[in-house]
């Protein structure tokens, strides 16, 4: 049994310093051969296409690195502060291969990336989650729209714009690596994390949009990380809080996720991000002795070496998804999993539980033979090859590696915002209007009760924008505020007659943002049992409509509402567009990339 056998070897290695790398290397090579192997790296072929000069840089750089630098290159930490002191002593002194900031101001990111590239001996990969626009790296960036919005607008052309705009604005502040596109398939409507981050549930649409995004990024000189291998969206859990399981058969996965990854690899995807997602069918197929355990791909040689490298022929860089996720943490003692994920076939480890401790775990694992010399060299080669393919050494030599201030003007520019407005206009989807309510007008529906249902940081912005837009069109808007009921004191609950006399229209706005660490992505109501006016008890009393800005499946939570619209993103341009369409100023063009009726026939009525 390969998995259990390697676990035993690691356990022995951690307590027996005499275990050397050569011994584990030999055992690991035998296991790799049984699972398809890790083919020799082809630096001249896809996806690197390096010249002789660039290959020489890779080899010379490896030869000139200290052991600390080699192990440091395997890490891709998140950066929490942009100050030079922090960047130098907490980041650069540990020799990471790349870093990622959360979204910040243009000036902060420009200065931080400039410092990092100027003071790092080896050029850095600088990444951001560029799934929805330039605002994934800088707060002033263009909020283009979620991936599902691009699919609803028409697909590939808009996914290309998403990739081009996101990476152009990111490059302006020095970011050269996009943690995108998401090529998961949203097969399970209960899944709380895939949702609008995907291009929908059709593998052909996902493939076309993924390829288009990558083309837009490539034109900017940016690398992409195709994610999340082996494929999320089959079950209803979030790998941030447990291991997700892709339960498809080998044949069904080949025809869906497999076809998508094959197309992306054949189109020279430079990197793949591996999720903490199990794929039992393939793990058992490639290793009949695989135990009855849920083991994530990030720790599975069967999926990394056997499927991704062997069957799919991927020659590029493999990076883990964030390793502080519970899907990674719960699978193995971290002292073992940090070096083992590299030995299993990953080339870089994303984020840390504790950066200093993880470095120590990697060092011990290398010295004790969990991480072999062979795998360390392979990982370093691919890390440096990716940097060479992005021309980072050349730019460093020419003095053009750091961002240039004159390029900042592209961030949030009018041309990009115009494209975002166009995408929004094409994406808004009228799911149903079985009560023939639309278009609304201030003449017939002057008194509006506006209810934003979310619980997100953006709620106040969304609420304010909706109120301003509706009032600008002549509506009188009352914003619902959560009522507080004390069951031990008398209180007045508005009667049906009072409600009917008070309002002409109720507009619900669903603003439940897609976010990590959730067990569901559903509507939660404030008032129970129909108390107050939060839950739509009044749909037969006053005309009511619902607009979902984030989750295309909210109709399952409001089946009583007969006019329902999906908008996929909550930025201001989308809100403005939805209001225009409610008033009949423009037609609805969007085509749903998923089943908004969730397989429930009664939701169509």
């Amino acid at each position: 049994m390969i998995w259990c056998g390697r676990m035993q070897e690691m356990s022995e290695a951690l307590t027996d310093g005499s275990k050397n790398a050569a011994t584990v290397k030999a055992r690991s090579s035998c296991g790799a051969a049984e699972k398809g192997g890790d083919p020799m790296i082809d630096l001249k072929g896809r996806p690197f296409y390096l010249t002789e000069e660039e290959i020489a840089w890779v080899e010379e750089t490896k030869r000139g690195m200290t052991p600390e630098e080699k192990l440091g290159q395997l890490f891709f930490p998140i950066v929490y502060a942009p100050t030079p002191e922090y960047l130098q002593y907490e980041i650069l002194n540990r020799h990471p291969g790349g870093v990622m900031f959360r979204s910040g101001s243009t000036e902060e990111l420009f200065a931080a990336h400039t410092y990092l590239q100027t003071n790092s001996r080896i050029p850095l990969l600088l990444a951001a989650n560029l799934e929805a626009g330039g605002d994934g790296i800088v707060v002033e960036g263009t909020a283009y729209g979620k991936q599902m919005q691009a699919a609803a607008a028409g697909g590939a052309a808009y996914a290309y714009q998403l990739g081009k705009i996101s990476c152009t604005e990111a490059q302006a502040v020095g970011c050269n690596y996009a943690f995108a596109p998401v090529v998961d398939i949203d097969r399970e409507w209960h899944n709380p994390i895939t949702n609008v981050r995907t291009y929908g549930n059709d593998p052909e649409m996902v493939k076309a949009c993924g390829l288009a995004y990558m083309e837009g990024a490539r034109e900017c000189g940016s690398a992409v990380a195709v994610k999340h291998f082996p494929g999320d969206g089959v079950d209803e859990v979030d790998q941030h809080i447990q291991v997700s399981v892709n339960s498809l058969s080998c044949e069904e996965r080949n025809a869906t996720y497999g076809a998508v990854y094959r197309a992306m690899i054949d189109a020279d995807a430079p990197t793949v991000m591996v999720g903490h997602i199990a794929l039992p069918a393939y793990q058992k197929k490639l290793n009949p002795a695989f135990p009855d355990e849920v083991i994530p791909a990030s720790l599975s040689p069967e999926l990394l070496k056997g499927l991704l490298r062997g069957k799919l022929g991927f020659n590029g860089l493999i990076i883990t998804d964030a390793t502080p996720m519970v899907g990674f943490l719960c699978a193995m003692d971290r002292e073992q999993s940090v070096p083992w994920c590299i030995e299993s076939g990953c080339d870089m480890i994303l984020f840390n539980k504790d950066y200093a401790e993880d470095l120590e775990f990697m060092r011990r694992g290398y010295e004790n033979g969990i991480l072999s010399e062979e795998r360390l060299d392979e990982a370093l080669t691919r890390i440096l090859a990716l940097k060479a393919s992005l021309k980072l050494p050349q730019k460093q030599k020419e003095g053009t590696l750091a961002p240039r201030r004159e390029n900042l003007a592209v961030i949030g520019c009018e041309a990009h915002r115009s494209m975002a407005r166009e995408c929004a206009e094409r994406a808004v989807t009228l799911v149903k209007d079985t009560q023939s309510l639309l278009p609304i007008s201030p003449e017939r529906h002057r008194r509006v009760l506006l209810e934003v249902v979310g619980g997100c940081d953006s709620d106040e912005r969304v609420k304010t924008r909706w109120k301003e837009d509706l009032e600008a069109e002549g509506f009188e808007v009352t914003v619902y505020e959560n009522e507080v009921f004390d069951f031990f004191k008398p209180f007045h609950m508005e009667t049906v007659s009072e409600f009917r006399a008070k309002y002409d229209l109720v507009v619900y706005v669903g603003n439940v943002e897609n976010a990590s660490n959730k067990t569901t992505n559903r509507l939660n109501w404030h008032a129970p049992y129909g108390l107050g006016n939060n839950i739509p008890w009044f749909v037969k009393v006053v005309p009511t409509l619902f607009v979902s800005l984030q989750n295309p499946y909210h109709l399952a939570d409001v089946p009583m509402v007969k006019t329902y619209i999906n908008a996929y993103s909550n930025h201001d341009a989308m809100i403005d567009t939805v209001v225009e369409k409610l008033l009949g100023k423009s037609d609805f063009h969007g085509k749903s990339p998923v089943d908004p009726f969730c397989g429930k026939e009664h939701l169509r009525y």
Side-chain angles (χ1 to χ4, degrees):
M1 184 179 292
I2 293 170
W3 172 263
C4 293
R6 290 294 290 127
M7 284 287 289
Q8 179 64 31
E9 289 170 16
M10 286 188 288
S11 179
E12 292 172 358
L14 286 169
T15 57
D16 183 0
S18 64
K19 292 282 186 182
N20 58 53
T23 302
V24 177
K25 172 182 170 182
R27 295 177 183 173
S28 182
S29 296
C30 292
E34 293 179 52
K35 294 180 288 293
D38 191 354
M40 183 178 297
I41 304 170
D42 181 4
L43 297 183
K44 292 185 178 180
R46 71 166 46 121
F48 301 119
Y49 301 110
L50 300 191
T51 65
E52 293 290 350
E53 183 179 358
E54 289 166 340
I55 293 173
W57 177 82
V58 170
E59 295 303 325
E60 289 169 7
T61 301
K62 284 196 297 182
R63 285 194 295 270
M65 294 169 73
T66 66
E68 290 76 16
E69 287 177 317
K70 289 181 178 181
L71 295 176
Q73 284 289 302
L74 304 175
F75 288 91
F76 211 112
I78 191 168
V79 181
Y80 295 104
T83 64
E85 295 79 13
Y86 179 89
L87 297 176
Q88 185 62 56
Y89 295 105
E90 297 296 327
I91 304 300
L92 291 181
N93 284 1
R94 290 170 171 157
H95 319 293
V99 302
M100 180 185 134
F101 284 87
R102 295 298 186 190
S103 183
S105 73
T106 296
E107 287 299 326
E108 280 182 341
L109 271 296
F110 178 84
H113 286 162
T114 298
Y115 184 90
L116 287 167
Q117 294 291 37
T118 302
N119 291 279
S120 179
R121 187 174 76 83
I122 300 172
L124 288 159
L125 297 169
L126 301 176
N129 279 325
L130 300 176
E131 298 177 11
D135 59 341
I137 181 65
V138 290
V139 294
E140 299 91 344
T142 301
Y144 185 83
K146 301 293 173 59
Q147 288 193 174
M148 194 173 285
Q149 178 187 320
Y158 295 97
Y160 166 82
Q161 284 187 354
L162 173 57
K164 190 69 178 287
I165 289 171
S166 300
C167 293
T168 296
E169 297 190 1
Q171 283 277 1
V173 291
C175 177
N176 51 39
Y177 191 8
F179 286 162
V182 175
V183 294
D184 296 321
I185 303 171
D186 206 43
R187 296 170 61 99
E188 172 53 73
W189 71 271
H190 292 96
N191 189 293
I193 192 67
T194 51
N195 207 280
V196 291
R197 296 175 68 202
T198 75
Y199 290 114
N201 63 12
D202 178 6
E204 290 302 315
M205 174 66 82
V206 172
K207 182 197 304 181
C209 289
L211 291 169
Y213 182 104
M214 187 165 68
E215 181 60 27
R218 181 181 290 123
E219 291 178 6
C220 302
S222 295
V224 301
V226 181
K227 61 185 188 181
H228 306 83
F229 182 86
D232 207 354
V234 176
D235 66 1
E236 57 185 68
V237 304
D238 174 4
Q239 57 180 305
H240 290 81
I241 50 181
Q242 60 178 289
V243 179
S244 180
V245 178
N246 185 321
S247 59
L248 299 184
S249 68
C250 294
E251 293 73 23
E252 191 171 8
R253 189 195 171 277
N254 289 345
T256 54
Y257 293 90
V260 172
Y261 274 95
R262 173 75 69 183
M264 299 297 289
I265 290 168
D266 288 348
D268 298 331
T271 85
V272 167
M273 181 178 286
V274 174
H276 314 308
I277 304 165
L279 183 59
Y282 254 114
Q283 287 169 309
K284 285 282 192 181
K285 179 178 180 178
L286 294 172
N287 176 13
F290 195 83
D292 292 327
E293 292 185 52
V294 179
I295 306 299
S298 47
L299 293 167
S300 175
E302 292 81 6
L303 299 180
L304 297 169
K305 296 179 180 180
L307 180 56
L308 186 51
R309 293 276 188 228
K311 183 175 176 62
L312 293 175
F314 182 59
N315 184 50
L317 181 141
I318 299 175
I319 185 169
T320 71
D321 203 344
T323 61
M325 291 183 183
V326 177
F328 185 88
L329 288 170
C330 70
M332 187 186 295
D333 186 322
R334 194 171 181 90
E335 187 167 0
Q336 300 171 349
S337 64
V338 167
W340 175 243
C341 77
I342 304 297
E343 183 64 26
S344 295
C346 295
D347 300 307
M348 299 191 82
I349 183 168
L350 182 63
F351 303 167
N352 308 100
K353 180 74 171 168
D354 180 88
Y355 194 8
E357 182 180 60
D358 280 356
L359 278 166
E360 178 62 15
F361 287 163
M362 190 70 78
R363 183 191 65 79
R364 288 185 210 166
Y366 174 60
E367 292 178 351
N368 292 330
I370 296 176
L371 172 58
S372 66
E373 188 67 42
E374 179 184 32
R375 271 300 302 139
L376 175 59
D377 185 72
E378 288 169 351
L380 284 172
T381 300
R382 285 195 171 91
I383 294 166
L384 296 174
L386 177 62
K387 296 179 179 185
S389 72
L390 294 173
K391 310 301 179 186
L392 302 188
Q394 178 181 328
K395 292 178 180 179
Q396 186 183 54
K397 187 176 181 180
E398 296 169 349
T400 59
L401 183 59
R404 302 168 69 88
R405 182 163 291 279
E406 58 265 30
N407 294 333
L408 298 181
V410 76
I411 295 172
C413 67
E414 178 53 34
H416 288 177
R417 294 187 184 278
S418 176
M419 286 187 273
R421 289 192 294 269
E422 178 194 347
C423 182
E425 202 281 326
R426 301 299 301 181
V428 181
T429 305
L430 176 60
V431 175
K432 71 174 185 179
D433 182 23
T434 57
Q435 62 183 328
S436 300
L437 172 63
L438 301 180
I440 62 172
S441 71
E443 291 75 28
R444 289 180 292 122
H445 311 104
R446 181 170 55 87
R447 298 168 302 169
V448 175
L449 175 63
L450 173 66
E451 301 209 28
V452 175
V453 186
C456 304
D457 291 341
S458 60
D459 283 356
E460 284 304 314
R461 174 184 61 80
V462 168
K463 192 182 299 181
T464 299
R465 191 72 172 203
W466 269 94
K467 186 174 188 293
E468 290 174 350
D469 280 3
L470 289 171
E471 288 179 339
E473 297 292 342
F475 294 94
E476 295 177 6
V477 180
T478 299
V479 177
Y480 175 84
E481 301 295 343
N482 286 342
E483 299 139 299
V484 178
F485 299 98
D486 187 340
F487 290 92
F488 297 98
K489 294 180 180 179
F491 61 85
H492 175 71
M493 186 164 57
E494 201 165 45
T495 67
V496 172
S497 298
E498 288 172 333
F499 191 89
R500 192 195 317 271
K502 195 171 182 180
Y503 303 112
D504 303 309
L505 176 69
V506 179
V507 176
Y508 277 99
V509 178
N511 189 48
V512 182
E513 291 187 356
N514 188 274
S516 62
N517 299 289
K518 288 184 176 182
T519 54
T520 65
N521 192 12
R522 306 285 292 274
L523 297 176
N524 289 302
W525 305 105
H526 167 67
Y529 311 118
L531 294 175
N533 299 322
N534 183 217
I535 303 174
W537 60 265
F538 37 72
V539 294
K540 299 295 186 181
V541 178
V542 171
T544 304
L545 66 87
F546 193 104
V547 179
S548 176
L549 295 179
Q550 295 286 344
N551 185 334
Y553 304 115
H554 275 326
L555 187 54
D557 291 324
V558 288
M560 68 288 284
V561 177
K562 303 306 179 183
T563 302
Y564 179 91
I565 293 160
N566 275 330
Y568 312 104
S569 300
N570 73 351
H571 53 72
D572 289 351
M574 177 58 82
I575 294 171
D576 298 346
T577 299
V578 174
V579 171
E580 288 178 1
K581 292 184 183 297
L582 291 177
L583 288 158
K585 293 184 177 182
S586 64
D587 295 332
F588 291 91
H589 301 289
K591 298 187 185 310
S592 183
V594 294
D595 175 16
F597 304 108
C598 309
K600 302 174 184 291
E601 190 63 25
H602 72 275
L603 295 183
R604 298 178 181 274
Y605 308 153

